Amino acid sequence: MGGVSGAGAAAPAAVRAGALHAGAWWVWALGLATAASRTTNPLLLALLVGVAGYVVAVCRTDAPWARSYGAFLKLGLAVIGIRLVFAIVLGSPIPGTHVLATLPEVPLPEWARGVRIGGRVTAEGLVFALYDGLKLATLLGCVGAANALANPARLLKSLPGALYEAGVAVVVAMTFAPNLVADVQRLRAARRLRGRPDRGLKALLQVGLPVLEGALERSVALAAAMDARGYGRTAEVPRAVRHTTSALTLGGLLGVCAGTYGLLGDTGAGYGTPLLVAGLAAALAGLRLGGRRSVRTRYRPDRWGARAWLVSASGAAVAALMIWAGAYAPAALHPPAVPLTPPTLPLWPAASILIGLLPALVVGNRSAGRNGWAQPERGAQPAPQATTDVKETLR
């Protein structure tokens, strides 16, 4: 019995040692998203989706949130379709000479000048809408990759004390979508076993309400379990410290937003970097001061090791190289829709995107089935979902 207990006690420690820090996955994914925001080349965007999808396929776990990546891809396809429908019905600002069809145009009043419904549908306008929709779909794919790879409960445990209350709300919201996907798969499998159809509008209506109710109940149960364990308790600090913390945090976050907007834009690279650095410094100082209000402690905190540095650095390198490529080869990153020309794959930007495959080599499938989840011993009863999530946060 003693040997079994020792092996069971060593298993969670091995699982924690093999799990990658959740923040590293978000830094990597945001780096890919930044690269996607710098180009409308469909070949580069498809390469970014392929890189993110390959890393998810190699590194994702058996946890419920790991199945959410497919839902983000389907949402991206829906975004592309909606963007094309808007371009057809409402027109496009891009002038074109290749008319594909002419729809009946609805007359609008004088105050709606500049807006039209119907009219000419040109190939140039559809190509421009396709490029724009593909960029948005790629951004959704990058965010979906982070949701599929990062453990939200362990990410909550790594948040600074000043952001902990907001972090609880964010994590509860983030667990709603993965729980939704898991409930959809479970109910569809149950319908198939009963010989009922699991596709179509009728099946969707019959499954929709139980899915929403189950996902919401599990998220609320997680919040209630956290509240029962004393989450959100704060200590008294002087009023001057509170005001200084608020000013530094708010000013720093505004600087981060303005600097990020400058870096993502095509013309704001000059002022974006100084604003981003200054905002980060102010925000970090405010978070450090605000951490004095938190009285919680961390049991066995996740460590930012060498693998986390490599994963986050690969995403940052992809973003930096794409920003630099936009300065010396803007035409390659933004193929024109007028005149219609087939897009080409630029060599160096494509090679820089391939750096994003580094997590597949560094992490691989070491955390497959784990990533912070302790495997139950044989014969043991599984813990409820909300209790399991809270236990992961306490580790």
Side-chain angles (χ1 to χ4, degrees), residues 15-41:
V15 168
R16 284 188 295 271
L20 188 70
H21 197 287
W25 286 123
W26 274 100
V27 173
W28 169 80
L30 291 177
L32 296 186
T34 302
S37 68
R38 306 294 297 189
T39 179
T40 55
N41 189 319

Side-chain angles (χ1 to χ4, degrees), residues 246-265:
S246 301
L248 287 175
T249 305
L250 180 60
L253 292 179
L254 289 176
V256 169
C257 292
T260 304
Y261 178 79
L263 289 178
L264 295 180

Side-chain angles (χ1 to χ4, degrees), residues 53-82:
Y54 180 78
V55 173
V56 170
V58 172
C59 302
R60 71 176 177 180
T61 68
D62 296 331
W65 59 82
R67 308 183 198 128
S68 61
Y69 184 66
F72 279 90
L73 292 182
K74 293 177 183 178
L75 181 61
L77 293 176
V79 167
I80 295 176
I82 293 173

Side-chain angles (χ1 to χ4, degrees), residues 122-141:
T122 63
E124 290 84 353
L126 288 181
V127 168
F128 177 80
L130 177 63
Y131 290 174
D132 196 25
L134 187 57
K135 178 196 284 190
L136 295 177
T138 305
L139 292 174
L140 286 173

Side-chain angles (χ1 to χ4, degrees), residues 166-389:
V168 172
V170 170
V171 169
V172 170
M174 288 173 59
T175 56
F176 180 78
N179 289 338
L180 195 71
V181 174
D183 286 342
V184 168
Q185 295 176 347
R186 178 176 56 83
L187 291 177
R188 289 183 62 186
R191 290 181 65 86
R192 286 195 298 267
L193 291 175
R194 294 182 175 92
R196 299 176 182 176
D198 61 332
R199 297 180 182 275
L201 181 60
K202 183 178 180 180
L204 179 62
L205 293 177
Q206 293 177 352
V207 169
L209 184 59
V211 164
L212 291 175
E213 183 181 0
L216 185 59
E217 283 182 353
R218 291 166 67 178
S219 297
V220 172
L222 174 60
M226 287 181 170
D227 184 68
R229 285 162 174 80
Y231 283 72
R233 294 177 181 175
T234 58
E236 291 294 332
V237 293
R239 179 177 297 180
V241 175
R242 292 202 305 269
H243 292 169
T244 304
T245 300
S246 301
L248 287 175
T249 305
L250 180 60
L253 292 179
L254 289 176
V256 169
C257 292
T260 304
Y261 178 79
L263 289 178
L264 295 180
D266 294 332
T267 60
Y271 67 85
T273 302
L275 274 179
L276 181 61
V277 173
L280 284 175
L284 289 176
L287 294 178
R288 186 173 181 84
L289 284 176
R292 298 181 181 180
R293 298 180 63 241
S294 176
V295 294
R296 71 184 178 95
T297 59
R298 294 178 182 175
Y299 178 62
R300 293 178 179 174
D302 292 337
R303 299 189 180 277
W304 191 281
R307 290 189 301 150
W309 281 113
L310 289 174
V311 170
S312 57
S314 65
V318 173
L321 290 175
M322 285 295 288
I323 292 174
W324 177 67
Y328 81 89
L333 299 186
H334 300 280
V338 181
L340 284 176
T341 55
T344 59
L345 183 64
L347 179 60
W348 289 112
S352 66
I353 291 175
L354 294 179
I355 299 176
L357 292 173
L358 184 61
L361 302 176
V362 174
V363 180
N365 58 357
R366 298 181 185 180
S367 57
R370 306 180 183 90
N371 198 16
W373 282 71
Q375 301 297 326
E377 297 182 10
R378 182 175 299 178
Q381 295 295 327
Q385 182 66 34
T387 306
T388 303
D389 290 342

Side-chain angles (χ1 to χ4, degrees), residues 89 103-109 115-119:
V89 176
L103 302 178
E105 189 168 354
V106 178
L108 297 176
V115 179
R116 70 175 178 86
I117 300 177

